[in-house]
């Protein structure tokens, strides 16, 4: 499982805006994925939007729940230790099998120096196992920790978790996206993608989530928020 998109990525670093990379991947999906499969994914997104998951996530102004998760090397990482370093950018993603998650992680990887210069750190959370996180971290040369959220326990506390629809589950199985293997449990649950900026005391300063997994915040907007809104 080394999906970057529907084609092999070039060896050069892609420095285009994330929106352009995601748009290109959506164009490839529209071109190569059968219409009936696209319709199933579209219905799944529509169903999640009707549930208003993104409108009911852990909001700005609240304190995040404390957590301890294993990183891609199997080391236990706590939210308190991460926040002791400064403000924290926390990205919830679906997994290494998702080309849009890969695009976001590679784009966020490019702005790690700017994040650190702004006095913040970056971490990503997914339900995939430590081994899968290790593979993703190694393959994409990420410079920030990937945390494994077994059974989406933390994602549930943030209001992000949902169960994959049966018709979409069948599509994933045919495409060799074996979530029970990738995630280490048979729940078939995933988080909707979300990005948080959290202050040192655990207060949520910025929260962005979208039921449509093809839409992600622009990394430069994250950097701008840190530099403009959080000076001092």
């Amino acid at each position: 499982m080394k999906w970057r998109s529907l084609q092999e990525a070039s060896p050069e670093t892609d420095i285009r805006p994330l929106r352009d990379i995601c748009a290109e991947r959506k164009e490839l999906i529209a071109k190569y994925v059968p219409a009936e499969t696209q319709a199933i994914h579209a219905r799944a997104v529509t169903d999640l939007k009707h549930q208003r998951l993104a409108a009911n996530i852990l909001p700005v102004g609240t304190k995040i729940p404390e957590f301890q998760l294993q990183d891609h090397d199997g080391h236990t990482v706590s939210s308190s230790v991460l926040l002791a370093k400064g403000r924290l950018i926390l990205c919830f993603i679906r997994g290494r099998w998702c080309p849009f998650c890969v695009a976001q992680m590679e784009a966020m990887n490019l702005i790690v120096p700017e994040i650190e210069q702004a006095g913040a750190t970056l971490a990503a959370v997914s339900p995939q196992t430590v081994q899968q996180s290790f593979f993703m971290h190694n393959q994409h040369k990420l410079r920030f920790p990937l945390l494994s959220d077994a059974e989406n326990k933390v994602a549930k506390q943030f209001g992000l978790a949902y169960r994959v629809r049966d018709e979409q589950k069948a599509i994933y199985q045919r495409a060799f996206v074996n979530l029970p293997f990738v995630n280490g449990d048979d729940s078939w649950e995933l988080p909707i993608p979300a990005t948080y900026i959290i202050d040192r005391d655990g207060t949520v300063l910025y929260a962005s989530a979208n039921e449509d997994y093809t839409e992600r915040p622009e990394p430069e907007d994250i950097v701008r928020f840190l530099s403009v809104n959080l000076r001092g």
Side-chain angles (χ1 to χ4, degrees):
M1 292 173 58
K2 60 171 190 173
W3 299 359
R4 286 179 174 268
S5 65
L6 298 180
Q7 62 183 9
E8 285 294 325
S10 66
E12 296 82 15
T13 300
D14 196 334
I15 60 173
R16 292 177 296 164
L18 180 57
R19 67 179 67 88
D20 292 347
I21 297 171
C22 288
E24 180 182 71
R25 296 187 182 197
K26 284 189 275 190
E27 289 173 3
L28 290 167
I29 288 171
K31 182 176 181 179
Y32 293 110
V33 174
E36 58 270 24
T37 298
Q38 295 183 52
I40 288 172
H41 290 312
R43 284 197 295 272
V45 170
T46 298
D47 180 63
L48 291 175
K49 287 184 177 293
H50 285 161
Q51 295 178 43
R52 293 180 54 80
L53 283 183
N56 293 289
I57 65 171
L58 194 70
V60 170
T62 58
K63 293 287 187 71
I64 68 164
E66 294 186 5
F67 61 80
Q68 287 188 332
L69 298 172
Q70 286 187 299
D71 70 9
H72 54 278
D73 286 324
H75 300 139
T76 299
V77 177
S78 69
S79 54
S80 60
V81 168
L82 290 171
L83 291 171
K85 300 176 182 178
R87 299 180 297 259
L88 172 64
I89 300 170
L90 199 62
C91 296
F92 286 85
I93 63 172
R94 307 193 309 160
R96 66 187 291 255
W97 52 271
C98 171
F100 297 96
C101 293
V102 169
Q104 183 188 19
M105 294 297 93
E106 291 187 333
M108 293 297 290
N109 202 43
L110 294 177
I111 64 166
V112 166
E114 295 170 85
I115 290 172
E116 292 176 345
Q117 186 176 10
T121 58
L122 170 64
V125 178
S126 82
Q128 66 191 2
T129 64
V130 170
Q131 184 181 46
Q132 296 295 321
S133 292
F134 173 82
F135 290 153
M136 185 178 191
H137 191 273
N138 182 64
Q139 179 190 347
H140 301 287
K141 299 178 175 59
L142 301 181
R143 295 177 287 176
F144 55 89
L146 297 182
L147 308 179
S148 292
D149 181 20
E151 300 179 355
N152 286 285
K153 290 179 180 178
V154 176
K156 289 174 182 175
Q157 291 178 296
F158 278 74
L160 303 169
Y162 70 94
R163 183 174 174 81
V164 174
R165 290 163 55 107
D166 287 343
E167 62 175 354
Q168 194 175 32
K169 174 181 173 180
I171 294 294
Y172 285 151
Q173 289 173 320
R174 289 201 295 272
F176 304 106
V177 180
N178 184 353
L179 288 188
F181 173 77
V182 173
N183 293 349
D185 69 74
D186 59 2
S187 68
W188 282 90
E189 290 180 334
L190 291 171
I192 60 171
T195 301
Y196 281 86
I197 300 177
I198 304 158
D199 208 353
R200 297 170 185 265
D201 66 354
T203 302
V204 175
L205 301 169
Y206 170 98
S208 174
N210 199 321
E211 298 93 346
D212 185 347
Y213 56 87
T214 69
E215 301 290 337
R216 312 293 171 104
E218 198 65 36
E220 286 303 322
D221 291 342
I222 302 298
V223 171
R224 189 175 301 110
F225 186 95
L226 287 171
S227 61
V228 171
N229 297 284
L230 301 176
R231 288 198 180 104

